Amino acid sequence: MDKMQSIVVLTGAGISAESGIATFRGPGGLWEGHRVEDVCTPEALERDPALVHRFYDLRRAALAGVAPNAAHRALARLDAEWPGELLIVTQNVDDLHERAGATRLLHMHGELRSALCAACGVRTPWSDALPPATPCAACGAKAMRPDIVFFGEMPYDMDRIEAALAQCDLFVSIGTSGAVYPAAGFVRTARWHGAHTIELNLDPSDGSIHFHESRMGPASVLVPEWIDSVLTDA
Ligand code: APR
């Protein structure tokens, strides 16, 4: 394969599973305890803000009890040592990539440790509980909400993601079921633009057929192995 210059990595809940954060689909999945429609849509926030805020308060508080695993740490090493272009696009709202040291990182579905003013759009770092009707420090409106992209809302930074997919030489998907768009379509976009595509996942996913290579196993094993090989060839 020609010398790689530009890499895009997509991560999903599977990369944080071995850190103790529940994935969404599959046994014991996060959604099993809740109907998505009840906790992760603009209508739910309108209908029952206390339930939605409590759901995200619990997930935000749980971050204190988890830590990055070997897969997050390996990606942070790639971030530090890869000489070419790199963008880590995560669907996850936890902060484990940052805590492992990643910097070339983009949260397309928002972040638990951030609060968004629904009135003025200002985002504020947030680590505590976020009661409904919390006043915004910037505009004063009582409109602070979890800074999470709900179903039916547009993911963040799609222009930047699409530009990265159009010029990358390698696209690697880690720990995602390929169940939710637009992330589920990234492999086809990258492949269409000529990138080599690799899936690292515990199980076959909805998108497995679109990858040049699909390697099955835990992220904590597959990701360090892959990054060792990439940095050896760099
Ligand atoms: N190592 C690698 N992969 C794993 C591991 C692991 N230890 N454990 C689970 N997986 C894989 C599962 O096989 C599954 O394919 O991670 C994937 C998790 O899939 P989902 O639970 O659907 O999570 P994700 O793909 O991130 O969901 C995408 O859907 O609910 C929305 O906004 C939410 O960002 C989320 C999006």
Side-chain angles (χ1 to χ4, degrees), residues 158-171:
M158 282 304 296
D159 291 347
R160 186 173 165 211
I161 295 170
E162 281 158 0
L165 292 169
Q167 54 92 33
C168 73
D169 307 298
L170 177 63
F171 174 78

Side-chain angles (χ1 to χ4, degrees), residues 212-223:
H212 292 101
E213 296 178 59
S214 265
R215 302 175 195 167
M216 298 291 113
S220 64
V221 172
L222 294 184
V223 178

Side-chain angles (χ1 to χ4, degrees), residues 180-206:
V180 174
Y181 284 82
F186 291 173
V187 56
R188 275 168 278 175
T189 303
R191 188 163 180 162
W192 192 81
H193 286 286
H196 184 66
T197 58
I198 300 173
E199 177 183 43
L200 307 178
N201 209 54
L202 192 63
D203 313 297
S205 72
D206 293 350

